[in-house]
Amino acid sequence: MTTETTLPYAKPRSLSDAVALIGGDDVCLLAGGTDLVIMRAEGMIAAERIVDLKGIAGLDSVEMAEDSIAIGACTRLDPLAQRAPFPANAIRDGAALVGSWQTRARATIGGNICRASPAADTLCGLLALDCQLELASASGTRRVPAAEFFTGPGRTVMRRDELLARIIMPRRPGGSAYQRFTYRNAMDLSVAGVAVHLAMRDGRCTEARVAIGACGPKPILVPDAAAALVGSPVDATAVQAAAQAVIAAATPIDDVRGTRKHRLHVLRPLTYRVTELARARAMEQQP
Ligand SMILES: Cc1cc2nc3c(=O)[nH]c(=O)nc-3n(C[C@@H](O)[C@@H](O)[C@H](O)COP(=O)(O)OP(=O)(O)OC[C@H]3O[C@@H](n4cnc5c(N)ncnc54)[C@H](O)[C@@H]3O)c2cc1C
């Protein structure tokens, strides 16, 4: 005998229809499902009603404005990594590293953000690029800086009656990069991740933001690392000081993916590598 269970399922076509359906404890939001399906199977999410966000018009594309770029929350990671109409940067680097092609073809950037795993690969880039997250509810929209969105593993400031609609990335000069350390080259989760954004003028750094992930309960900005780079030619002395600040700010734990000691050890060469790549990209963009 087989038992068939059909869950209540809705696939709204507009943002206003979607926000009218959410908010109750019995509702969960579905995007690509690469986390959600597993979380439901493991009993981490018990909600019975599913609201599928993938049909919402306008949330699966990237739009360019004069001073910002809006990335729809349901934009899948593979097209974002391959074809996003903005040059190589830290968010694209992160999207390209997630899982396999099959995972990236399903998974969305909004899901990667809202799952709020400290090891998620797009989060450091959001912080380093000073993104704002646009949250929509039946009472309107609000924007939260990415650096203030995450509150702990799996936790954010997003209310139950809200969904992530767009990621707003300011268009600013410079270049950025994200890299992670893993024990395998693919299909592994980050043991430590670093993103750096730099703007360069006349060979000196005029602006910097440095973020780290998988080295604490949430991704964080490291202002002391940025301060070590600003005003410098991003030479060995400055990068060494930035790496020291990164190590001082990190609060990693021992877990299945790595020890605290090893995470602190890999942060130094990782910061060197990412800063060098961000610098090379920033030099290409130099006015
Ligand atoms: C084999 C495999 C390998 C992986 N490797 C990596 C990796 O290397 N790096 C990495 O970072 N991740 C990795 N992941 C996880 C990654 O696939 C997910 O984090 C993915 O990005 C989540 O997106 P999704 O669209 O599938 O979200 P879903 O699974 O649909 O949703 C995830 C969570 O976010 C919520 N949610 C989704 N969209 C919204 C929204 N717009 N507003 C509000 N809430 C929302 C859902 O309710 C749910 O709680 C891997 C997963 C698998 C299965």
Side-chain angles (χ1 to χ4, degrees):
M1 189 180 84
T2 57
T3 310
E4 208 171 89
T5 314
T6 309
L7 294 172
Y9 170 88
K11 191 169 183 179
R13 298 287 161 187
S14 70
L15 197 53
S16 54
D17 285 352
V19 294
L21 291 169
I22 66 176
D25 284 345
D26 60 335
V27 176
C28 67
L29 309 185
L30 171 71
T34 61
D35 277 328
L36 188 83
V37 170
I38 298 166
M39 289 159 81
R40 282 183 61 86
E42 290 179 349
M44 291 165 70
I45 293 180
E48 284 300 316
R49 285 172 52 217
I50 293 179
V51 175
D52 187 342
L53 306 177
K54 292 191 295 296
I56 301 175
L59 285 202
D60 62 351
S61 56
V62 179
E63 283 168 24
M64 311 284 281
E66 201 177 320
D67 58 353
S68 65
I69 297 168
I71 306 171
C74 293
T75 306
R76 292 167 205 255
L77 295 175
D78 189 60
L80 191 63
Q82 301 292 333
R83 299 191 294 276
F86 44 84
N89 75 21
I91 296 176
R92 284 183 69 157
D93 290 346
L97 287 170
V98 172
S100 61
W101 173 82
Q102 289 92 334
T103 310
R104 292 191 296 275
R106 276 309 290 178
T108 64
I109 184 162
N112 200 238
I113 295 168
C114 294
R115 171 69 181 91
S117 160
D121 284 308
T122 65
L123 311 190
C124 289
L126 300 176
L127 271 63
L129 287 160
D130 200 12
C131 293
Q132 302 264 326
L133 303 182
E134 188 178 278
L135 306 179
S137 71
S139 50
T141 59
R142 63 175 176 135
R143 287 188 182 180
V144 178
E148 295 167 21
F149 184 71
F150 305 98
T151 55
R155 295 201 309 275
T156 72
V157 298
M158 192 167 58
R159 302 189 310 258
R160 282 206 71 85
D161 68 335
E162 289 178 317
L163 60 80
L164 174 62
R166 293 181 185 84
I167 299 101
I168 312 295
M169 181 168 89
R171 292 181 85 157
R172 43 177 50 180
S176 68
Y178 167 80
Q179 289 188 4
R180 65 183 190 180
F181 174 80
T182 53
Y183 292 102
R184 302 190 312 180
N185 283 336
M187 294 298 290
D188 205 354
L189 289 176
S190 176
V191 174
V194 175
V196 175
H197 174 262
L198 298 175
M200 303 291 293
R201 182 178 278 271
D202 301 328
R204 292 203 165 255
C205 173
T206 54
E207 218 187 291
R209 284 170 76 90
V210 178
I212 57 173
C215 282
K218 57 180 186 171
I220 56 163
L221 279 173
V222 186
D224 288 347
L229 298 169
V230 172
S232 80
V234 193
D235 55 5
T237 310
V239 178
Q240 214 170 359
Q244 201 50 48
V246 159
I247 293 164
T251 56
I253 53 168
D254 294 336
D255 68 11
V256 288
R257 286 202 284 280
T259 62
R260 171 184 161 80
K261 192 174 168 198
H262 193 229
R263 285 184 156 110
L264 292 174
H265 178 74
V266 299
L267 275 174
R268 187 183 304 279
L270 194 56
T271 306
Y272 289 174
R273 278 210 306 271
V274 179
T275 308
E276 192 180 313
L277 181 55
R279 182 179 184 279
R281 289 175 175 174
M283 292 298 276
E284 281 169 21
Q285 304 293 320
Q286 205 175 200

